Amino acid sequence: MMTALATVLEIQDDIVVVGCQQKSSCNHCSSKDSCGTGIVSKVLPGKVHHWAFHTDKKLTVGQMVEIGLPEKNLLQSAAIVYLVPLFFLLFGALFSEWLISPLIGIGEITTITISALSAWGGYFIAKRLSHRIEQNTEQQVSLVRILGEPISDTISVNAAG
């Protein structure tokens, strides 16, 4: 089980909605100052994920909690997001190189175009598949422990990131 820090955003009966900021590994890399991704991650805030779950514990809005997320679903989602577009790109390149280009006779531009379109299609398929896994993960989120009240709004946002 993977854990994440989250802030309680809303409470409705026994359903608690928490938000946690998406983490970036750029803060730990030695070349973060010279890398384009590291510079962009400093400027743009991470995406905030919202999770809802049932609990019998008394919580208040603004409290910091630690939630548990199933590793299997997160790893499946990551594999789908990275591998499906890559496989579609490779399949599109091979399909174009072996079948389409010899028929049309144009050459590399056909292969590049069909590869890019295949990867784009793979991206949308991966997005749809990962959304299904994310919905299954929402049902399996659990409260690990209650950490307490945040000192200020800025600290609660940064602690989740």
Side-chain angles (χ1 to χ4, degrees):
M1 178 180 293
M2 298 176 71
T3 60
L5 295 178
T7 305
V8 176
L9 301 175
E10 187 179 339
I11 302 170
Q12 298 173 353
D13 299 328
D14 62 339
I15 299 174
V16 177
V17 178
V18 297
C20 60
Q21 198 168 18
Q22 185 172 331
K23 294 181 182 179
S24 171
S25 60
C26 288
N27 295 334
H28 306 293
C29 180
S30 61
S31 61
K32 66 181 175 186
D33 294 329
S34 61
C35 172
T37 305
I39 293 169
V40 170
S41 69
K42 288 179 187 176
V43 176
L44 298 176
K47 179 181 176 183
V48 177
H49 294 278
H50 295 240
W51 306 97
F53 57 90
H54 297 280
T55 184
D56 296 332
K57 303 207 180 197
K58 291 290 182 188
L59 297 171
T60 58
V61 174
Q63 240 178 342
M64 294 294 296
V65 294
E66 186 175 16
I67 56 173
L69 307 163
E71 284 181 10
K72 179 183 174 188
N73 292 358
L74 294 174
L75 293 175
Q76 282 177 344
S77 182
I80 286 171
V81 167
Y82 286 107
L83 295 178
V84 169
L86 178 65
F87 287 143
F88 271 73
L89 175 91
L90 293 174
F91 176 75
L94 291 174
F95 177 75
S96 176
E97 190 67 28
W98 290 341
L99 296 174
I100 304 297
S101 291
L103 291 175
I104 297 175
I106 295 177
E108 290 181 6
I109 192 71
T110 306
T111 303
I112 292 169
T113 304
I114 291 177
S115 299
L117 290 174
S118 298
W120 187 61
Y123 163 76
F124 286 108
I125 291 171
K127 189 174 180 178
R128 189 172 189 160
L129 292 173
S130 68
H131 182 69
R132 287 183 186 168
I133 292 174
E134 188 175 310
Q135 287 176 336
N136 291 340
T137 304
E138 283 181 11
Q139 298 170 0
Q140 298 174 11
V141 173
S142 60
L143 179 66
V144 175
R145 63 185 171 144
I146 301 170
L147 299 174
E149 300 291 332
I151 297 171
S152 72
D153 290 339
T154 57
I155 293 177
S156 69
V157 170
N158 291 336

